[in-house]
Amino acid sequence: MTIDRKELDAAGRVRHETPPGPRTEVPAVDRVGVEHGASGSRVHLEDVKAYYGTKRVLHGITLSLEPGVVTGIIGPSGCGKSTMVRCINRMHEEVPGGRCEGRILLDEIDLNGPEVDVVGVRRAVGMVFQKPNPFPTMSILGNVLAGLRFVGVPRERRIERAEAALTDAGLWDEVKDRLSDPGVSLSGGQQQRLCIARALAVEPDVLLMDEPCSALDPAATMRIEELITQLKRRVTIALVTHNMQQAARIADVTAFMLAGELIEVGSTDRMFTDPQDERTEQYVTGRFG
Amino acid sequence: MRLRQMAVDPLGARVPNLRRRRIVNAAWIGSAWAGASIAVGLLLVVVAGVVARGIGSINPTFLTTPTDPFGSGGGISNAIVGTAILVALASAMAVPVGILTALYTSEFASRRLASGLRYVLDVLNGVPTIITGIFVFGLLVVGRSQSGWAGAAGLAIVMVPLIARSGQEVLALVPSGLREASLALGASRWRTVLRVVIPTSIGGLVTGALLAVARAAGETAPLLFTCSIFPNLVQTDPSRVLPNIPITIFQFSESPDPVKHAQAWAAALVLIAFVLAVSMVARLLSARTRRRLQELR
Amino acid sequence: MAERAVLGVHRGRQGGAGPGAHPSIGGRRRSLADRIGERGLYLLSLAAASLSVVIAGGLVAKVLAEAWPALSAFGLDFLTTSAWDPVHGRFGAAAFLFGTAVSSFGALLIATPLSILIALFLSELSPRRSRGPIAALIELLAGIPSVILGLWGILVLGPVMRDTIEPALHDTLGSIPVLGNLFGPDYSIVGMLPAIVILTIMTVPIVSSLMREIFATVPAATKEGALALGATRWEMIRTVVLPHARPGMVGAVILGLGRAVGEAIAVTQVIGGTEGIRANLFLPSDTLASRIAGQYQGATSDLQIASIAYLGAILLALALLSNGVARLWVRDAAGAAA
């Protein structure tokens, strides 16, 4: 199931096509602050099945995440939405017995290709988790620098990159005077923005956000939502949420999942006003189960 | 596509230091494999060494005749009988004390007291067993003589903290909902303990006791000052010095006589077989109990 | 307690008619068996718990009392004298303190990195399916009675040490200035080096299983955070697991040290039992615990018995210190993670 592009254009949400050609030729650093069009990569899942041990939890998902677009993924808990996004940066492999079948393409690159190193995948596809998980033994700055160290950014450039990432995450002004405080000394919402900054610092093409606000209060949630809207020009965003209002507020495209299947996907406006599938309608109107 | 044809990881190519990092990663994983192999290898070398050297001397006569006082020949039946009695006596003392101590901490003691008791037991567990030997020597041997009772007391002191600590951990796994359900039915606390808490955790309590038995059977140091100077005949009266396997191995290992060495290996094989068998049974039991308790939670 | 308080309030509202006014609660008397059982179980378990504490306290007191004659005769000079001369009644612990320090630190010097690797292997690096069996095998290694390790040490390890390992060490390391003195030319079946090897074998299973428990307290979310940033497994370990586990690891090593310091039997079998203070690791030496064990066949004087107990008191102090400190450390680490 792919998104009807006309429908998106009609909704006035899609900005421009990604520049064609493999992203690999564009040095990551140069893309910072590109103003024309949307940056980020297109992710295409094709008949993705995921298993934990012998139990199948995804039954063949086909879906595209478009650049410049926030794709909201909604569905009742246990429907496989977390598993699906975890497959995109292969974090599902960290769960005992986790594996996935089918193709997941980042632009033209098959993420599960034999020559692809998982480290490269995760550098290109960042992830923000449900509960803020700053590294407890590291300072605020150290948390942002950690990823830069991994990907081999030269020492002298790390600080400026970290500052840029903290600025992008809307956290710089709040923490610039206490960069050496422990990351865990921040409030929950700040911790989550620190985790976003940490993920942004390595300049990923895609950012997966797995219910990033579910542990936060409404004010902190609003800050993150604003941030997501600002970031979407820069990086392709998948937002898993159990909160339909949140999807309605910030997702451009919404995908509805149920019991390991993708039921319906389309522009958020249409999904909430004119769902095609009966189950989607029941879910978005709160009459589910 | 061009990159793909070069058989390069297209995403990896954007991580300039990936090659070096992968090598470092592989090197550490390799050393971890090596470390684990060394540890497992040592176990196999020691156990295989004992089996290879001991198996030749193991026969019915060796197991059923006492040690020959004049060197060659003879068996270790006196030591087997003595160790069995010592371990049985020590268990009879330590198992009730250990389990009751665990019950006290889990059912009656305040949080602070329980934590203090755990600490005392941990420290007692860390006391070198040779010191336990000196303690029992001063308590029961000085002014009297070595005896089976003294040896058993020494072993019991080694066992108590082991049983009590493992018991505490198992009792802590018993879901409090289960206790409350019983109390809510109007059962008194002691009936709850006897009918609900202990039956639920019995597998774990037995595991702790078995591991302590395995440990006590091989303990030498507490016996050195309390139950080590014994005659080469079968002795069943604990008020006398009971011959036992660990001290026999210890003494034979220090002898220059190759015949004694052969007997020491055979005795070691008997002991190691017992110890490993008991610990393996305990481990299987513990895995089962834990699974069951986890399901209850 | 809360239930009882609620009942009390309830009863109070009844108009203060006293117990028995509420037939279903106050009126029912507990059976005699219940009252005896309740009291009995409490008292029995209290007695058992007290007994454990009394044993711990009594042990310290008794060892000090046993050592008293030597304590009063030698005082602290005991710690700096290296003689052990029953004929002239001169006793001192200096050589054994030295031997204990060298053998324990030597063993932990080898056991610590090995244990870290094993613990990392079992908690982070190995295929999940192999973890259980390998961990069980390593714990079985901890279960081998020390007297059997000693037997193996003296009859199997000793000859290999003298004929192969010690000459090889001497040839490769013996010429290094200063450090080379550790690997001098006198090869021997018994000595410090076999003792270090045996103590290493004894401490590795303990230290590694403690460390494994500590690594297990590192939250999965933190580890996933590192992996999701593109860390390799080793980088994840280095940046989040090890820093998180550091205090607990220190505690585990100190516990291992306490174990090595206190091991008497296996060490006395392989170390050779001499009083000198010598750098050469190939030569026989002795430790506190091993000297005590070596004296079991009888002392010639009360002063000698007291001196043995004095050694025991020093050993006990070291063990309590390392254990007491390490347990607090390990527990803090585990507590902080919980």
Side-chain angles (χ1 to χ4, degrees):
Chain A
M1 222 176 285
T2 47
I3 307 158
D4 182 347
R5 300 208 62 88
K6 245 189 286 173
E7 180 185 285
L8 282 175
D9 284 334
R13 304 257 183 176
V14 172
R15 294 163 206 270
H16 297 273
E17 281 288 292
T18 356
R23 298 224 49 88
T24 45
E25 292 181 6
V26 186
V29 204
D30 292 343
R31 287 203 322 280
V32 182
V34 172
E35 281 302 302
H36 61 87
S39 180
S41 296
R42 179 171 186 270
V43 176
H44 181 66
L45 289 81
E46 206 172 294
D47 195 25
V48 170
K49 301 185 177 85
Y51 303 80
Y52 291 131
T54 51
K55 191 174 164 231
R56 189 156 86 179
V57 290
L58 292 181
H59 307 290
I61 303 278
T62 300
L63 174 71
S64 289
L65 308 178
E66 302 293 340
V69 167
V70 174
T71 306
I73 298 151
I74 59 172
S77 53
C79 68
K81 37 190 205 302
S82 286
T83 302
M84 188 193 79
V85 294
R86 286 175 79 94
C87 286
I88 299 173
N89 71 345
R90 289 174 56 180
M91 283 302 286
H92 70 285
E93 293 171 7
E94 303 306 327
V95 180
R99 66 197 167 83
C100 97
E101 288 169 2
R103 294 214 312 164
I104 302 179
L105 300 178
L106 180 72
D107 293 329
E108 288 87 30
I109 302 158
D110 182 351
L111 294 185
N112 292 306
E115 76 284 357
V116 172
D117 190 304
V118 66
V119 167
V121 173
R122 291 175 185 162
R123 185 231 162 283
V125 184
M127 186 155 191
V128 174
F129 296 82
Q130 193 166 352
K131 250 184 78 185
N133 59 349
F135 302 135
T137 53
M138 290 182 200
S139 66
I140 294 169
L141 184 62
N143 263 283
V144 187
L145 291 177
L148 296 173
R149 236 180 340 245
F150 294 149
V151 300
V153 173
R155 194 175 293 272
E156 61 277 10
R157 300 207 40 208
R158 285 183 204 155
I159 298 281
E160 77 188 70
R161 288 269 297 263
E163 179 178 341
L166 282 166
T167 308
D168 292 343
L171 197 58
W172 176 252
D173 289 331
E174 290 162 57
V175 301
K176 65 180 178 213
D177 301 321
R178 46 188 290 210
L179 288 171
S180 52
D181 286 6
V184 285
S185 68
L186 297 171
S187 73
Q190 287 173 322
Q191 286 189 20
Q192 193 61 300
R193 277 182 283 143
L194 178 61
C195 292
I196 293 174
R198 185 174 72 185
L200 288 177
V202 299
E203 293 176 349
D205 304 312
V206 180
L207 189 59
L208 309 171
M209 306 182 95
D210 187 359
E211 305 200 15
C213 303
S214 65
L216 305 181
D217 60 61
T221 299
M222 235 177 71
R223 288 284 275 133
I224 305 262
E225 289 181 0
E226 281 166 16
L227 185 56
I228 292 172
T229 317
Q230 286 159 19
L231 289 174
K232 69 179 177 188
R233 288 173 60 81
R234 184 105 73 71
V235 51
T236 307
I237 292 178
L239 171 72
V240 172
T241 177
H242 64 266
N243 178 340
M244 276 179 289
Q245 284 71 38
Q246 181 169 64
R249 280 193 299 267
I250 53 172
D252 304 296
V253 172
T254 294
F256 171 59
M257 285 179 69
L258 186 63
E261 313 230 26
L262 180 63
I263 303 299
E264 189 174 353
V265 58
S267 83
T268 301
D269 286 351
R270 188 188 61 65
M271 285 289 282
F272 282 92
T273 53
D274 181 26
Q276 307 292 301
D277 193 289
E278 199 184 333
R279 292 165 291 182
T280 314
E281 190 188 348
Q282 284 177 347
Y283 187 74
V284 299
T285 52
R287 280 186 287 127
F288 197 80
Chain B
M1 286 314 276
R2 243 180 310 141
L3 287 169
R4 180 82 58 87
Q5 280 155 8
M6 285 156 67
V8 178
D9 171 2
L11 292 172
R14 287 158 59 188
V15 185
N17 55 1
L18 186 58
R19 212 180 117 79
R20 184 183 59 76
R21 291 166 63 201
R22 282 170 76 164
I23 293 172
V24 171
N25 188 48
W28 280 102
I29 293 180
S31 356
W33 272 99
S37 313
I38 289 174
V40 173
L42 276 172
L43 174 77
L44 297 180
V45 164
V46 173
V47 172
V50 172
V51 172
R53 289 172 181 79
I55 197 90
S57 315
I58 298 265
N59 54 50
T61 329
F62 181 78
L63 297 175
T64 53
T65 43
T67 314
D68 185 325
F70 306 108
S72 60
I76 55 163
S77 71
N78 51 338
I80 293 177
V81 171
T83 281
I85 296 173
L86 280 171
V87 171
L89 286 177
S91 307
M93 301 181 215
V95 171
V97 173
I99 290 183
L100 281 169
T101 303
L103 272 179
Y104 181 75
T105 38
S106 78
E107 309 296 321
F108 299 111
S110 67
R111 192 178 270 267
R112 264 185 86 166
L113 193 56
S115 136
L117 259 174
R118 271 196 293 275
Y119 190 69
V120 169
L121 289 167
D122 279 339
V123 169
L124 191 59
N125 194 20
V127 168
T129 52
I130 189 83
I131 305 284
T132 310
I134 295 183
F135 170 55
V136 176
F137 171 80
L139 203 65
L140 300 176
V141 177
V142 171
R144 303 186 189 92
S145 69
Q146 292 195 350
S147 69
W149 290 116
L155 296 182
I157 294 177
V158 175
M159 291 172 79
V160 163
L162 295 173
I163 298 173
R165 285 298 277 121
S166 71
Q168 284 165 351
E169 273 163 37
V170 175
L171 290 175
L173 285 180
V174 175
S176 55
L178 224 59
R179 284 192 188 91
E180 281 157 16
S182 167
L183 291 171
L185 282 176
S188 52
R189 183 164 280 277
W190 76 289
R191 283 192 199 277
T192 303
V193 168
L194 292 186
R195 295 217 186 122
V196 177
V197 176
I198 291 184
T200 318
S201 54
I202 188 73
L205 297 175
V206 172
T207 300
L210 282 178
L211 286 175
V213 163
R215 170 82 186 275
E219 270 297 331
T220 317
L223 301 176
L224 216 45
F225 289 93
T226 56
C227 194
S228 63
I229 299 163
F230 45 75
N232 293 323
L233 46 95
V234 176
Q235 186 73 263
T236 53
D237 176 5
S239 57
R240 306 277 184 90
V241 184
L242 294 176
N244 55 78
I245 301 178
I247 296 286
T248 302
I249 298 172
F250 181 68
Q251 288 170 346
F252 286 5
S253 78
E254 307 228 299
S255 145
D257 181 358
V259 177
K260 293 275 186 220
H261 290 173
Q263 290 188 318
W265 285 114
L269 178 54
V270 172
L271 182 56
I272 220 171
F274 176 76
V275 168
L276 293 189
V278 172
S279 5
M280 256 184 295
V281 170
R283 232 162 266 290
L284 290 177
L285 199 62
S286 128
R288 259 188 43 192
T289 315
R290 267 168 200 281
R291 251 202 321 275
R292 253 192 45 209
L293 283 173
Q294 233 82 50
E295 281 163 14
L296 275 176
R297 279 173 97 79
Chain C
M1 287 306 279
E3 277 166 66
R4 230 175 274 165
V6 169
L7 292 178
V9 168
H10 187 59
R11 222 182 280 163
R13 274 201 211 123
Q14 296 270 322
H22 196 300
S24 66
I25 296 168
R28 201 181 136 208
R29 290 190 58 121
R30 288 183 155 186
S31 73
L32 187 66
D34 255 9
R35 274 180 295 158
I36 293 173
E38 198 81 20
R39 213 76 213 126
L41 183 68
Y42 174 75
L43 289 176
L44 264 179
S45 67
L46 177 64
S50 317
L51 185 62
S52 307
V53 178
V54 168
I55 289 173
L59 194 142
V60 175
K62 190 76 198 165
V63 170
L64 285 177
E66 291 278 303
W68 183 248
L71 263 164
S72 57
F74 303 118
L76 288 178
D77 287 346
F78 192 77
L79 302 178
T80 52
T81 311
S82 68
W84 193 266
D85 184 354
V87 180
H88 300 97
R90 287 174 56 240
F91 301 101
F96 315 133
L97 279 168
F98 173 80
T100 299
V102 173
S103 60
S104 312
F105 282 112
L108 265 298
L109 209 60
I110 309 172
T112 303
L114 202 55
S115 302
I116 296 175
L117 284 176
I118 293 169
L120 285 176
F121 176 81
L122 289 175
S123 57
E124 307 293 343
L125 296 174
S126 63
R128 259 164 228 278
R129 218 167 291 170
S130 65
R131 289 179 191 178
I134 293 177
L137 282 175
I138 291 173
E139 295 205 354
L140 286 183
L141 186 59
I144 295 182
S146 57
V147 70
I148 293 181
L149 275 181
L151 175 72
W152 181 81
I154 193 167
L155 296 181
V156 180
L157 180 67
V160 177
M161 277 285 170
R162 181 193 56 193
D163 302 334
T164 316
I165 299 178
E166 289 181 358
L169 282 174
H170 177 66
D171 292 345
T172 50
L173 304 171
S175 53
I176 302 171
V178 187
L179 201 66
N181 292 329
L182 298 176
F183 309 101
D186 307 288
Y187 313 133
S188 150
I189 287 181
V190 291
M192 182 59 88
L193 198 59
I196 290 176
V197 173
I198 293 293
L199 286 177
T200 305
I201 297 177
M202 298 186 71
T203 45
V204 160
I206 302 163
V207 179
S208 63
S209 82
L210 279 168
M211 285 192 180
R212 203 172 68 137
E213 280 173 31
I214 293 157
F215 291 153
T217 65
V218 181
T222 307
K223 294 193 281 189
E224 287 194 337
L227 291 173
L229 271 182
T232 62
R233 260 183 188 266
W234 163 246
E235 285 162 345
M236 181 270 284
I237 289 167
R238 203 195 55 197
T239 50
V240 304
V241 175
L242 292 181
H244 195 281
R246 193 163 292 141
M249 289 165 71
V250 174
V253 171
I254 298 176
L255 277 183
L257 200 63
R259 180 66 189 264
V261 165
E263 176 52 37
I265 298 298
V267 173
T268 205
Q269 283 168 288
V270 300
I271 202 167
T274 59
E275 286 103 47
I277 296 181
R278 288 180 293 254
N280 187 352
L281 296 179
F282 301 163
L283 290 175
S285 177
D286 217 351
T287 70
L288 293 166
S290 144
R291 172 57 47 145
I292 298 171
Q295 303 283 305
Y296 80 102
Q297 275 179 322
T300 52
S301 67
D302 288 348
L303 187 62
Q304 189 175 355
I305 294 177
S307 299
I308 296 170
Y310 197 164
L311 294 180
I314 300 171
L315 184 58
L316 187 59
L318 291 176
L320 292 185
L321 197 69
S322 60
N323 255 284
V325 171
R327 295 270 173 207
L328 288 178
W329 215 320
V330 170
R331 207 194 303 168
D332 278 359

